[in-house]
Structures are given as structure tokens and as C-alpha cells.
Amino acid sequence: MTPDTGKQVDIHVDIKENIERIKERVEKAARKSGRSPDEIKLIAVTKNVEPARILEAIDAGIWDLGENRVQEMQEKVEAISTAGRKVNWHMIGHLQKNKVKYLVDSVSIIHSLDSIELAQEIDKRAKKVGRIINVLIQVNVAEEESKFGIFKDEVNKFIEDIVKYDNIRVKGLMTIAPKAANPEDVRFVFRELNKIFIDIRRKNIDNIDMEYLSMGMSNDFEVAIEEGANMVRIGTAIFGVRR
Ligand SMILES: *Cc1c(COP(=O)(O)O)cnc(C)c1O
């Protein structure tokens, strides 16, 4: 008998195969909603995943990586670029104002803009480095206490308040649906956000390009795509259960 070290057994996860399978499912869901699969961006969520396994995903055709913590993202930006790969980095987690300065150089899109104060800080830091930073507004569609994001009926006012920040560009909306055993139970969340997305797009506001609708994770991405998502953020279904 082998001694019990208390460590979990490392179950082999075939990252390349998982990515291929997800791409097929994305394609099916896209076609079901009458869209081309090319319109859907797959973001591999790499929190708690070590660089060697992230490289496997990149070599299997992933170009976009999502992290929810600034320090972890910084470490991985360094590791992945040292390994000679070029990718787009997405900040998908709640962002504290005092951490913004650490990611202004490397981030491609911040998905989690959830306050005016944060917008102001991103704008200030972006100016300093001479960048325009792409952001998505995080909306707490189901109004869950445990989640960040502004409420649906605050979105229009929020947009009016942030158009003045020249160094941020609003590129769309993001949401995290409530946990549900059956993804059909959260379809309404995706549908509602898509409605808001389309309404804002129709208004043609300066500085606001409603281009990306970031919604859908491992458990619910197909339903999200059917309801209009064009960015899905997938961790577990690619890298296995997080430890
Ligand atoms: C962790 C995380 C994901 C990925 O979740 P999975 O269920 O592992 O696919 C997506 N979005 C955000 C904001 C996350 O924090």
C-alpha cells in the first residue's frame, strides 16, 4: 500500500481534447442562434492553473486568458511572455482601485467595471501610460447579494456618468449568472442582459461601443451563447476542477 500523504491524486486532464470539445459545443450553440462560431471568443480562465498547463492551452489554439486576481495575473503575464507566447489578458474578477496600476500595461479588457470610482482610477492610470483601456460593465442581473456589479436599472445612468473618461472605452457588458443545477434556470439572466446590450447599442453613444457581451461559464455557456453571448469565460471545462 502506498502511504497516504494527504495530497489529492492528480487526475490527468487532457487540455487539448477539452478545448476541442468545447469549440465544438460553442459552434453548435452559435449555429443554433443563427450566428457564425467565429463571432464567439473563447476565454480560457486560468485562475489556479500553473503556467505549464496554460502553455498547453495556448498551444491548443487559445489566444485569450482570463484571471480574477491581479497578482496572479501579473505572475502569469510574466511567465507566459517569458515562454515566448503572445496572448490577450482579460481581468474578469472584482478589481480594487489600488491594484489598477499593476495591470494597466498588460490588460486587454477589464470585464469587471462596477463603480464610477473604479472607472475614474482606470482612466487616470491609463492616461499615465498613454493607453485607452477597454472595459466591460459588470451587471448583477439577478441582484444577488454575494455578487459584484451594478443593477440593471442603473446601467443607463452609469453609462452617462462614465462617457467623460477619455482613456477608457466601454466595449460591452458582462455578467455572472447565479449558480444553477440546470442552465435553463438562468436563461432569463442572459436574455435580459442581451436586451440591455441591444438597447444601448441602438443609442449610438460616443465612447460606447457595444461590441462584447461576456456571459457564460463552464456550466452554462451554451445557453449564454444561444441568448447572444459573444465572449464565454471557461475554466473548469478546460483545466478540470480547481484545487
Ligand atoms: C472562475 C470564473 C469563470 C470560470 O468558471 P468555470 O465555472 O470554472 O468555467 C468565469 N468567470 C469568472 C468571473 C470567474 O471568476
Side-chain angles (χ1 to χ4, degrees):
M1 228 174 81
T2 48
D4 183 0
T5 58
K7 280 193 185 146
Q8 249 179 298
V9 180
D10 203 356
I11 298 164
H12 181 69
V13 174
D14 192 331
I15 292 170
K16 186 163 189 273
E17 196 184 299
N18 288 348
I19 290 170
E20 278 164 17
R21 214 175 296 138
I22 286 163
K23 283 187 171 170
E24 286 165 13
R25 289 168 61 189
V26 165
E27 180 169 342
K28 224 182 238 172
R31 298 215 188 281
K32 208 167 154 185
S33 65
R35 289 182 298 158
S36 156
D38 305 337
E39 291 172 37
I40 321 278
K41 206 185 274 290
L42 172 57
I43 300 170
V45 176
T46 52
K47 62 192 184 203
N48 292 9
V49 177
E50 63 271 33
R53 300 172 69 230
I54 300 174
L55 290 173
E56 268 187 64
I58 294 170
D59 294 343
I62 292 289
W63 292 95
D64 292 86
L65 303 179
E67 281 287 339
N68 68 338
R69 289 162 72 211
V70 173
Q71 195 188 334
E72 197 176 335
M73 186 174 123
Q74 276 183 288
E75 288 164 12
K76 287 172 187 172
V77 166
E78 176 75 29
I80 301 305
S81 93
T82 302
R85 310 303 205 286
K86 274 207 155 62
V87 291
N88 303 313
W89 289 96
H90 299 254
M91 174 44 64
I92 61 174
H94 176 64
L95 184 54
Q96 287 170 309
K97 278 194 303 174
N98 61 355
K99 302 272 175 72
V100 172
K101 55 180 177 284
Y102 301 118
L103 54 70
V104 277
D105 286 313
S106 54
V107 77
S108 163
I109 303 184
I110 296 171
H111 291 230
S112 44
L113 178 62
D114 58 5
S115 75
I116 299 294
E117 294 73 28
L118 180 60
Q120 193 174 6
E121 177 68 14
I122 297 170
D123 183 64
K124 184 177 112 186
R125 295 290 172 179
K127 261 191 193 92
K128 267 198 177 151
V129 296
R131 281 194 70 188
I132 290 177
I133 297 201
N134 295 325
V135 299
L136 308 182
I137 299 168
Q138 182 172 354
V139 184
N140 184 357
V141 177
E143 306 197 353
E144 290 177 281
E145 294 237 5
S146 59
K147 295 235 165 79
F148 290 101
I150 62 170
F151 290 165
K152 281 177 301 181
D153 48 5
E154 297 169 345
V155 176
N156 282 304
K157 172 78 169 65
F158 189 82
I159 283 180
E160 279 174 32
D161 290 343
I162 58 171
V163 284
K164 63 172 182 253
Y165 296 117
D166 295 329
N167 285 62
I168 58 181
R169 177 94 355 111
V170 176
K171 283 287 189 182
L173 305 176
M174 177 274 226
T175 198
I176 304 170
K179 270 208 174 72
N182 181 351
E184 287 300 334
D185 295 343
V186 292
R187 184 181 287 275
F188 77 97
V189 167
F190 303 132
R191 187 169 292 178
E192 283 189 32
L193 195 64
N194 190 26
K195 247 191 250 162
I196 297 169
F197 179 79
I198 290 166
D199 278 350
I200 299 168
R201 191 161 56 191
R202 281 210 190 98
K203 292 184 186 164
N204 276 323
I205 308 164
D206 277 355
N207 253 359
I208 311 282
D209 307 328
M210 280 290 134
E211 192 177 333
Y212 299 121
L213 189 51
S214 168
M215 52 187 199
M217 310 181 7
S218 292
N219 285 327
D220 56 21
F221 70 91
E222 285 148 309
V223 172
I225 290 170
E226 286 167 24
E227 296 299 333
N230 58 16
M231 274 188 171
V232 291
R233 311 175 307 265
I234 299 185
T236 311
I238 293 176
F239 298 106
V241 178
R242 281 182 288 276
R243 283 164 294 162

